[in-house]
Amino acid sequence: PDRLMTASVDGLACIYNTTGDLNEDDCMEGVLSVGVSIGRIGFYGPGGRNAWCLTHTEELSLWEWESTTLLAQFKNTRQAASDAANAALMSASAALGHQSGTPPLQVDYLIRCE
């Protein structure tokens, strides 16, 4: 609760400590260079020690923000979600002994990442 993360179209996410005097130079704790315009950001994991960034082109990157280490990057998130949904549908149909007559699912956009 004592951290603030900002991001913008410049592709940088900045993390600030908000416990003391709010001076940009003194309270900045890290900068994550995503490289493309960032649309959404957030903290996750135990104690909020990790950060996620979703770009305007829906690429997802996961970070350990204190060390500014990129943990994972997913460039084709919509296609990966579509593939996973279709695999789950096929698996469920097979488990039930049904043939899936459903057309392939296509994820058109991502809404939230939490």
Side-chain angles (χ1 to χ4, degrees):
D2 58 351
R3 299 292 186 273
L4 170 71
M5 182 166 38
T6 64
S8 183
V9 296
D10 64 1
L12 299 176
C14 300
I15 295 95
Y16 299 93
N17 183 330
T18 60
T19 57
D21 191 24
L22 295 180
N23 176 318
E24 183 176 357
D25 294 329
D26 295 335
C27 65
M28 182 180 286
E29 292 193 342
V31 177
L32 311 177
S33 181
V34 176
V36 294
S37 177
I38 301 170
R40 293 181 183 265
I41 54 175
F43 293 104
Y44 76 96
R49 290 298 179 203
N50 297 326
W52 59 266
C53 300
L54 185 63
T55 70
H56 286 111
T57 57
E58 296 180 338
E59 296 178 5
L60 174 67
S61 58
L62 306 176
W63 299 80
E64 196 289 309
W65 62 263
E66 285 184 334
S67 65
T68 65
T69 301
L70 178 64
L71 302 174
Q73 189 169 23
F74 304 94
K75 293 201 175 263
N76 298 311
T77 54
R78 285 182 281 174
Q79 186 60 52
S82 296
D83 293 347
N86 285 309
L89 181 62
M90 289 177 59
S91 178
S93 294
L96 294 172
H98 300 289
Q99 287 187 344
S100 176
T102 306
L105 301 173
Q106 179 61 43
V107 175
D108 294 322
Y109 57 93
L110 302 176
I111 297 173
R112 299 258 327 165
C113 178
E114 292 188 42

